[in-house]
Structures are given as C-alpha cells and as structure tokens.
mmCIF file of all heavy atoms in Angstrom:
data_model
loop_
_atom_site.group_PDB
_atom_site.id
_atom_site.type_symbol
_atom_site.label_atom_id
_atom_site.label_comp_id
_atom_site.label_asym_id
_atom_site.label_seq_id
_atom_site.Cartn_x
_atom_site.Cartn_y
_atom_site.Cartn_z
ATOM 1 N N ASP A 226 -22.288 -9.560 -29.629
ATOM 2 C CA ASP A 226 -21.602 -10.311 -30.698
ATOM 3 C C ASP A 226 -20.097 -10.349 -30.461
ATOM 4 O O ASP A 226 -19.295 -10.213 -31.379
ATOM 5 C CB ASP A 226 -21.893 -9.690 -32.071
ATOM 6 C CG ASP A 226 -23.371 -9.705 -32.416
ATOM 7 O OD1 ASP A 226 -24.038 -10.707 -32.104
ATOM 8 O OD2 ASP A 226 -23.862 -8.709 -32.978
ATOM 9 N N TYR A 227 -19.748 -10.548 -29.202
ATOM 10 C CA TYR A 227 -18.361 -10.451 -28.765
ATOM 11 C C TYR A 227 -17.709 -11.830 -28.886
ATOM 12 O O TYR A 227 -17.700 -12.625 -27.958
ATOM 13 C CB TYR A 227 -18.338 -9.963 -27.314
ATOM 14 C CG TYR A 227 -17.046 -9.369 -26.827
ATOM 15 C CD1 TYR A 227 -16.944 -7.997 -26.592
ATOM 16 C CD2 TYR A 227 -15.943 -10.165 -26.554
ATOM 17 C CE1 TYR A 227 -15.777 -7.440 -26.098
ATOM 18 C CE2 TYR A 227 -14.772 -9.621 -26.072
ATOM 19 C CZ TYR A 227 -14.688 -8.259 -25.845
ATOM 20 O OH TYR A 227 -13.523 -7.708 -25.354
ATOM 21 N N ALA A 228 -17.178 -12.108 -30.068
ATOM 22 C CA ALA A 228 -16.544 -13.397 -30.348
ATOM 23 C C ALA A 228 -15.423 -13.172 -31.342
ATOM 24 O O ALA A 228 -15.270 -12.080 -31.894
ATOM 25 C CB ALA A 228 -17.576 -14.383 -30.902
ATOM 26 N N ARG A 229 -14.622 -14.204 -31.581
ATOM 27 C CA ARG A 229 -13.567 -14.097 -32.579
ATOM 28 C C ARG A 229 -14.194 -13.687 -33.907
ATOM 29 O O ARG A 229 -15.216 -14.228 -34.321
ATOM 30 C CB ARG A 229 -12.833 -15.419 -32.723
ATOM 31 C CG ARG A 229 -12.014 -15.788 -31.492
ATOM 32 C CD ARG A 229 -10.864 -14.833 -31.252
ATOM 33 N NE ARG A 229 -10.130 -15.127 -30.026
ATOM 34 C CZ ARG A 229 -9.102 -14.423 -29.590
ATOM 35 N NH1 ARG A 229 -8.689 -13.368 -30.277
ATOM 36 N NH2 ARG A 229 -8.480 -14.752 -28.464
ATOM 37 N N GLY A 230 -13.558 -12.722 -34.554
ATOM 38 C CA GLY A 230 -14.166 -12.131 -35.724
ATOM 39 C C GLY A 230 -14.978 -10.895 -35.385
ATOM 40 O O GLY A 230 -15.646 -10.321 -36.249
ATOM 41 N N LEU A 231 -14.894 -10.465 -34.118
ATOM 42 C CA LEU A 231 -15.572 -9.252 -33.663
ATOM 43 C C LEU A 231 -15.281 -8.093 -34.614
ATOM 44 O O LEU A 231 -14.132 -7.790 -34.919
ATOM 45 C CB LEU A 231 -15.060 -8.901 -32.260
ATOM 46 C CG LEU A 231 -15.562 -7.609 -31.604
ATOM 47 C CD1 LEU A 231 -17.024 -7.757 -31.208
ATOM 48 C CD2 LEU A 231 -14.705 -7.283 -30.378
ATOM 49 N N THR A 232 -16.333 -7.449 -35.097
ATOM 50 C CA THR A 232 -16.141 -6.335 -36.027
ATOM 51 C C THR A 232 -15.760 -5.067 -35.278
ATOM 52 O O THR A 232 -16.001 -4.935 -34.069
ATOM 53 C CB THR A 232 -17.412 -6.069 -36.841
ATOM 54 O OG1 THR A 232 -18.446 -5.601 -35.950
ATOM 55 C CG2 THR A 232 -17.879 -7.319 -37.568
ATOM 56 N N PHE A 233 -15.177 -4.131 -36.014
ATOM 57 C CA PHE A 233 -14.844 -2.844 -35.417
ATOM 58 C C PHE A 233 -16.099 -2.156 -34.887
ATOM 59 O O PHE A 233 -16.093 -1.586 -33.785
ATOM 60 C CB PHE A 233 -14.155 -1.958 -36.454
ATOM 61 C CG PHE A 233 -13.892 -0.557 -35.964
ATOM 62 C CD1 PHE A 233 -12.815 -0.286 -35.143
ATOM 63 C CD2 PHE A 233 -14.735 0.486 -36.319
ATOM 64 C CE1 PHE A 233 -12.570 1.005 -34.680
ATOM 65 C CE2 PHE A 233 -14.499 1.774 -35.867
ATOM 66 C CZ PHE A 233 -13.417 2.036 -35.050
ATOM 67 N N GLU A 234 -17.183 -2.216 -35.638
ATOM 68 C CA GLU A 234 -18.415 -1.532 -35.231
ATOM 69 C C GLU A 234 -18.989 -2.136 -33.947
ATOM 70 O O GLU A 234 -19.418 -1.411 -33.053
ATOM 71 C CB GLU A 234 -19.441 -1.609 -36.364
ATOM 72 C CG GLU A 234 -19.078 -0.797 -37.600
ATOM 73 C CD GLU A 234 -18.031 -1.452 -38.477
ATOM 74 O OE1 GLU A 234 -17.734 -2.666 -38.287
ATOM 75 O OE2 GLU A 234 -17.481 -0.751 -39.361
ATOM 76 N N ALA A 235 -18.992 -3.478 -33.855
ATOM 77 C CA ALA A 235 -19.506 -4.118 -32.644
ATOM 78 C C ALA A 235 -18.613 -3.808 -31.443
ATOM 79 O O ALA A 235 -19.103 -3.574 -30.329
ATOM 80 C CB ALA A 235 -19.612 -5.627 -32.862
ATOM 81 N N HIS A 236 -17.308 -3.797 -31.676
ATOM 82 C CA HIS A 236 -16.384 -3.491 -30.585
ATOM 83 C C HIS A 236 -16.558 -2.045 -30.114
ATOM 84 O O HIS A 236 -16.557 -1.749 -28.911
ATOM 85 C CB HIS A 236 -14.947 -3.734 -31.037
ATOM 86 C CG HIS A 236 -13.962 -3.796 -29.928
ATOM 87 N ND1 HIS A 236 -12.621 -3.557 -30.110
ATOM 88 C CD2 HIS A 236 -14.109 -4.067 -28.596
ATOM 89 C CE1 HIS A 236 -11.990 -3.693 -28.968
ATOM 90 N NE2 HIS A 236 -12.867 -3.992 -28.026
ATOM 91 N N GLU A 237 -16.720 -1.136 -31.064
ATOM 92 C CA GLU A 237 -16.916 0.270 -30.699
ATOM 93 C C GLU A 237 -18.225 0.464 -29.947
ATOM 94 O O GLU A 237 -18.283 1.272 -29.011
ATOM 95 C CB GLU A 237 -16.882 1.145 -31.944
ATOM 96 C CG GLU A 237 -16.887 2.645 -31.624
ATOM 97 C CD GLU A 237 -16.654 3.491 -32.852
ATOM 98 O OE1 GLU A 237 -17.554 3.565 -33.713
ATOM 99 O OE2 GLU A 237 -15.558 4.085 -32.962
ATOM 100 N N ARG A 238 -19.256 -0.267 -30.314
ATOM 101 C CA ARG A 238 -20.524 -0.186 -29.578
ATOM 102 C C ARG A 238 -20.339 -0.627 -28.122
ATOM 103 O O ARG A 238 -20.835 0.023 -27.197
ATOM 104 C CB ARG A 238 -21.572 -1.074 -30.255
ATOM 105 C CG ARG A 238 -22.904 -1.123 -29.504
ATOM 106 C CD ARG A 238 -23.766 -2.304 -29.920
ATOM 107 N NE ARG A 238 -24.824 -2.542 -28.961
ATOM 108 C CZ ARG A 238 -25.363 -3.725 -28.708
ATOM 109 N NH1 ARG A 238 -24.930 -4.800 -29.354
ATOM 110 N NH2 ARG A 238 -26.327 -3.853 -27.810
ATOM 111 N N TYR A 239 -19.602 -1.712 -27.924
ATOM 112 C CA TYR A 239 -19.332 -2.199 -26.567
ATOM 113 C C TYR A 239 -18.586 -1.143 -25.754
ATOM 114 O O TYR A 239 -18.945 -0.829 -24.612
ATOM 115 C CB TYR A 239 -18.524 -3.485 -26.658
ATOM 116 C CG TYR A 239 -18.161 -4.117 -25.336
ATOM 117 C CD1 TYR A 239 -19.026 -4.986 -24.692
ATOM 118 C CD2 TYR A 239 -16.919 -3.864 -24.731
ATOM 119 C CE1 TYR A 239 -18.689 -5.583 -23.475
ATOM 120 C CE2 TYR A 239 -16.569 -4.453 -23.529
ATOM 121 C CZ TYR A 239 -17.456 -5.309 -22.909
ATOM 122 O OH TYR A 239 -17.113 -5.890 -21.706
ATOM 123 N N LEU A 240 -17.534 -0.581 -26.354
ATOM 124 C CA LEU A 240 -16.759 0.444 -25.667
ATOM 125 C C LEU A 240 -17.620 1.671 -25.385
ATOM 126 O O LEU A 240 -17.575 2.235 -24.275
ATOM 127 C CB LEU A 240 -15.551 0.837 -26.514
ATOM 128 C CG LEU A 240 -14.683 1.978 -25.978
ATOM 129 C CD1 LEU A 240 -14.036 1.595 -24.660
ATOM 130 C CD2 LEU A 240 -13.625 2.381 -27.009
ATOM 131 N N ARG A 241 -18.413 2.099 -26.353
ATOM 132 C CA ARG A 241 -19.254 3.277 -26.170
ATOM 133 C C ARG A 241 -20.252 3.071 -25.025
ATOM 134 O O ARG A 241 -20.461 3.969 -24.202
ATOM 135 C CB ARG A 241 -20.007 3.605 -27.458
ATOM 136 C CG ARG A 241 -20.879 4.865 -27.338
ATOM 137 C CD ARG A 241 -21.655 5.146 -28.610
ATOM 138 N NE ARG A 241 -20.762 5.513 -29.709
ATOM 139 C CZ ARG A 241 -20.508 4.747 -30.754
ATOM 140 N NH1 ARG A 241 -21.091 3.548 -30.863
ATOM 141 N NH2 ARG A 241 -19.688 5.156 -31.693
ATOM 142 N N ASP A 242 -20.851 1.886 -24.947
ATOM 143 C CA ASP A 242 -21.801 1.609 -23.861
ATOM 144 C C ASP A 242 -21.117 1.674 -22.501
ATOM 145 O O ASP A 242 -21.675 2.199 -21.526
ATOM 146 C CB ASP A 242 -22.438 0.234 -24.055
ATOM 147 C CG ASP A 242 -23.583 0.252 -25.066
ATOM 148 O OD1 ASP A 242 -23.856 1.325 -25.640
ATOM 149 O OD2 ASP A 242 -24.196 -0.817 -25.283
ATOM 150 N N ALA A 243 -19.891 1.149 -22.417
ATOM 151 C CA ALA A 243 -19.156 1.180 -21.147
ATOM 152 C C ALA A 243 -18.803 2.608 -20.751
ATOM 153 O O ALA A 243 -18.978 3.018 -19.592
ATOM 154 C CB ALA A 243 -17.902 0.328 -21.253
ATOM 155 N N VAL A 244 -18.306 3.383 -21.708
ATOM 156 C CA VAL A 244 -17.915 4.762 -21.431
ATOM 157 C C VAL A 244 -19.134 5.609 -21.073
ATOM 158 O O VAL A 244 -19.106 6.410 -20.120
ATOM 159 C CB VAL A 244 -17.156 5.351 -22.638
ATOM 160 C CG1 VAL A 244 -16.971 6.859 -22.485
ATOM 161 C CG2 VAL A 244 -15.796 4.662 -22.789
ATOM 162 N N THR A 245 -20.207 5.437 -21.803
ATOM 163 C CA THR A 245 -21.426 6.210 -21.543
ATOM 164 C C THR A 245 -21.998 5.875 -20.169
ATOM 165 O O THR A 245 -22.446 6.768 -19.435
ATOM 166 C CB THR A 245 -22.471 5.927 -22.636
ATOM 167 O OG1 THR A 245 -21.935 6.292 -23.908
ATOM 168 C CG2 THR A 245 -23.744 6.722 -22.389
ATOM 169 N N ALA A 246 -21.980 4.592 -19.808
ATOM 170 C CA ALA A 246 -22.488 4.187 -18.500
ATOM 171 C C ALA A 246 -21.631 4.735 -17.367
ATOM 172 O O ALA A 246 -22.130 5.077 -16.286
ATOM 173 C CB ALA A 246 -22.559 2.670 -18.416
ATOM 174 N N ALA A 247 -20.332 4.865 -17.606
ATOM 175 C CA ALA A 247 -19.424 5.355 -16.553
ATOM 176 C C ALA A 247 -19.380 6.866 -16.474
ATOM 177 O O ALA A 247 -19.037 7.431 -15.423
ATOM 178 C CB ALA A 247 -18.015 4.814 -16.806
ATOM 179 N N ASP A 248 -19.709 7.546 -17.559
ATOM 180 C CA ASP A 248 -19.501 8.993 -17.666
ATOM 181 C C ASP A 248 -20.125 9.813 -16.533
ATOM 182 O O ASP A 248 -19.487 10.758 -16.041
ATOM 183 C CB ASP A 248 -20.014 9.483 -19.025
ATOM 184 C CG ASP A 248 -19.450 10.854 -19.386
ATOM 185 O OD1 ASP A 248 -18.463 11.270 -18.752
ATOM 186 O OD2 ASP A 248 -19.977 11.492 -20.303
ATOM 187 N N PRO A 249 -21.344 9.493 -16.050
ATOM 188 C CA PRO A 249 -21.899 10.298 -14.954
ATOM 189 C C PRO A 249 -21.087 10.226 -13.657
ATOM 190 O O PRO A 249 -21.155 11.139 -12.833
ATOM 191 C CB PRO A 249 -23.296 9.689 -14.753
ATOM 192 C CG PRO A 249 -23.624 9.048 -16.055
ATOM 193 C CD PRO A 249 -22.323 8.524 -16.564
ATOM 194 N N GLN A 250 -20.316 9.148 -13.502
ATOM 195 C CA GLN A 250 -19.565 8.951 -12.252
ATOM 196 C C GLN A 250 -18.067 9.184 -12.398
ATOM 197 O O GLN A 250 -17.359 9.278 -11.396
ATOM 198 C CB GLN A 250 -19.764 7.514 -11.759
ATOM 199 C CG GLN A 250 -21.202 7.032 -11.722
ATOM 200 C CD GLN A 250 -21.262 5.530 -11.497
ATOM 201 O OE1 GLN A 250 -20.658 4.999 -10.575
ATOM 202 N NE2 GLN A 250 -21.996 4.821 -12.358
ATOM 203 N N VAL A 251 -17.589 9.263 -13.626
ATOM 204 C CA VAL A 251 -16.141 9.250 -13.879
ATOM 205 C C VAL A 251 -15.751 10.434 -14.754
ATOM 206 O O VAL A 251 -16.446 10.756 -15.720
ATOM 207 C CB VAL A 251 -15.729 7.933 -14.577
ATOM 208 C CG1 VAL A 251 -14.244 7.944 -14.904
ATOM 209 C CG2 VAL A 251 -16.080 6.733 -13.707
ATOM 210 N N ASP A 252 -14.640 11.075 -14.414
ATOM 211 C CA ASP A 252 -14.089 12.150 -15.227
ATOM 212 C C ASP A 252 -13.020 11.559 -16.149
ATOM 213 O O ASP A 252 -11.981 11.086 -15.704
ATOM 214 C CB ASP A 252 -13.480 13.221 -14.331
ATOM 215 C CG ASP A 252 -12.970 14.424 -15.123
ATOM 216 O OD1 ASP A 252 -13.114 14.427 -16.366
ATOM 217 O OD2 ASP A 252 -12.425 15.356 -14.502
ATOM 218 N N PHE A 253 -13.279 11.576 -17.443
ATOM 219 C CA PHE A 253 -12.363 10.993 -18.418
ATOM 220 C C PHE A 253 -11.256 11.959 -18.850
ATOM 221 O O PHE A 253 -10.354 11.575 -19.594
ATOM 222 C CB PHE A 253 -13.140 10.532 -19.658
ATOM 223 C CG PHE A 253 -13.926 9.265 -19.447
ATOM 224 C CD1 PHE A 253 -15.160 9.297 -18.826
ATOM 225 C CD2 PHE A 253 -13.425 8.048 -19.857
ATOM 226 C CE1 PHE A 253 -15.892 8.134 -18.636
ATOM 227 C CE2 PHE A 253 -14.139 6.875 -19.666
ATOM 228 C CZ PHE A 253 -15.378 6.916 -19.045
ATOM 229 N N ALA A 254 -11.309 13.180 -18.413
ATOM 230 C CA ALA A 254 -10.338 14.183 -18.842
ATOM 231 C C ALA A 254 -8.928 13.788 -18.396
ATOM 232 O O ALA A 254 -8.713 13.357 -17.255
ATOM 233 C CB ALA A 254 -10.711 15.547 -18.288
ATOM 234 N N GLY A 255 -7.986 13.960 -19.280
ATOM 235 C CA GLY A 255 -6.581 13.756 -18.929
ATOM 236 C C GLY A 255 -6.079 12.338 -19.091
ATOM 237 O O GLY A 255 -4.903 12.069 -18.817
ATOM 238 N N TYR A 256 -6.944 11.424 -19.532
ATOM 239 C CA TYR A 256 -6.504 10.041 -19.716
ATOM 240 C C TYR A 256 -6.195 9.768 -21.190
ATOM 241 O O TYR A 256 -6.878 10.258 -22.080
ATOM 242 C CB TYR A 256 -7.564 9.063 -19.199
ATOM 243 C CG TYR A 256 -7.671 9.076 -17.691
ATOM 244 C CD1 TYR A 256 -8.665 9.820 -17.044
ATOM 245 C CD2 TYR A 256 -6.760 8.370 -16.911
ATOM 246 C CE1 TYR A 256 -8.743 9.850 -15.665
ATOM 247 C CE2 TYR A 256 -6.833 8.399 -15.521
ATOM 248 C CZ TYR A 256 -7.826 9.131 -14.912
ATOM 249 O OH TYR A 256 -7.902 9.175 -13.538
ATOM 250 N N ASP A 257 -5.155 8.959 -21.414
ATOM 251 C CA ASP A 257 -4.742 8.627 -22.769
ATOM 252 C C ASP A 257 -5.435 7.380 -23.296
ATOM 253 O O ASP A 257 -5.565 7.211 -24.518
ATOM 254 C CB ASP A 257 -3.223 8.387 -22.816
ATOM 255 C CG ASP A 257 -2.438 9.583 -22.309
ATOM 256 O OD1 ASP A 257 -2.540 10.649 -22.940
ATOM 257 O OD2 ASP A 257 -1.735 9.439 -21.293
ATOM 258 N N MET A 258 -5.860 6.522 -22.396
ATOM 259 C CA MET A 258 -6.314 5.194 -22.783
ATOM 260 C C MET A 258 -7.331 4.705 -21.767
ATOM 261 O O MET A 258 -7.312 5.112 -20.598
ATOM 262 C CB MET A 258 -5.094 4.256 -22.841
ATOM 263 C CG MET A 258 -5.337 2.868 -23.355
ATOM 264 S SD MET A 258 -3.741 1.991 -23.414
ATOM 265 C CE MET A 258 -4.289 0.380 -23.942
ATOM 266 N N VAL A 259 -8.223 3.818 -22.188
ATOM 267 C CA VAL A 259 -9.240 3.255 -21.303
ATOM 268 C C VAL A 259 -9.130 1.736 -21.315
ATOM 269 O O VAL A 259 -8.978 1.116 -22.375
ATOM 270 C CB VAL A 259 -10.662 3.688 -21.733
ATOM 271 C CG1 VAL A 259 -11.720 2.974 -20.901
ATOM 272 C CG2 VAL A 259 -10.819 5.198 -21.613
ATOM 273 N N HIS A 260 -9.196 1.137 -20.127
ATOM 274 C CA HIS A 260 -9.340 -0.304 -19.974
ATOM 275 C C HIS A 260 -10.756 -0.591 -19.500
ATOM 276 O O HIS A 260 -11.238 0.052 -18.556
ATOM 277 C CB HIS A 260 -8.360 -0.860 -18.935
ATOM 278 C CG HIS A 260 -6.939 -0.914 -19.394
ATOM 279 N ND1 HIS A 260 -5.893 -1.224 -18.549
ATOM 280 C CD2 HIS A 260 -6.386 -0.710 -20.617
ATOM 281 C CE1 HIS A 260 -4.760 -1.197 -19.225
ATOM 282 N NE2 HIS A 260 -5.027 -0.889 -20.485
#
C-alpha cells in the first residue's frame, strides 16, 4: 500500500520487512539511521 497517503503503520511494516530480511547478513549495531 505504498502510495501517497501511506500510513505510518504501512510504512513501518515495509521498513520492518526490509530490516528483518537483512538482519541475518547485516550488523545493524552502531548505525544511527537506515536507508
């Protein structure tokens, strides 16, 4: 549901899926921000 008017919950779900998918390969420690 990634369109203008994107809700906070939908955006957080997108971010969570990306972070979770990357987590086995990536160390997130020490970073202030994610792109």
Side-chain angles (χ1 to χ4, degrees):
D226 299 321
Y227 200 109
R229 292 294 176 181
L231 176 71
T232 66
F233 174 80
E234 292 77 13
H236 195 202
E237 188 172 71
R238 176 198 164 210
Y239 180 86
L240 176 64
R241 182 182 293 109
D242 279 2
V244 169
T245 300
D248 198 16
Q250 311 168 51
V251 177
D252 184 1
F253 285 81
Y256 290 98
D257 303 297
M258 186 177 177
V259 174
H260 287 172

